[in-house]
Amino acid sequence: MSKVGIVREFWEFLKVRKKFWLMPIVFILLALGLLIVSTSGTALAPFIYALF
């Protein structure tokens, strides 16, 4: 299954089950994950990991 298929299936789940309140949670989790991955090799990494 491709990544686009997973996103499409998740969107269909949200539409059918009326779970639109999950979108901000998923967005925040993805943003935090991206922040951790993007700063893992920089001098900023110790400060980011201290937040968690």
Side-chain angles (χ1 to χ4, degrees):
M1 183 173 257
S2 68
K3 291 180 183 178
V4 176
I6 292 171
V7 172
R8 184 176 298 139
E9 186 174 341
F10 182 67
W11 179 250
E12 290 297 321
F13 168 78
L14 293 177
K15 283 190 340 188
V16 170
R17 303 271 194 242
K18 306 284 193 263
K19 303 277 186 187
F20 292 110
W21 56 271
L22 284 173
M23 280 307 270
I25 297 169
V26 170
F27 178 72
I28 289 171
L29 287 174
L30 288 174
L32 287 175
L34 183 64
L35 178 69
I36 289 172
V37 169
S38 65
T39 61
S40 65
T42 65
L44 221 72
F47 301 110
I48 298 297
Y49 289 120
L51 294 175
F52 301 106

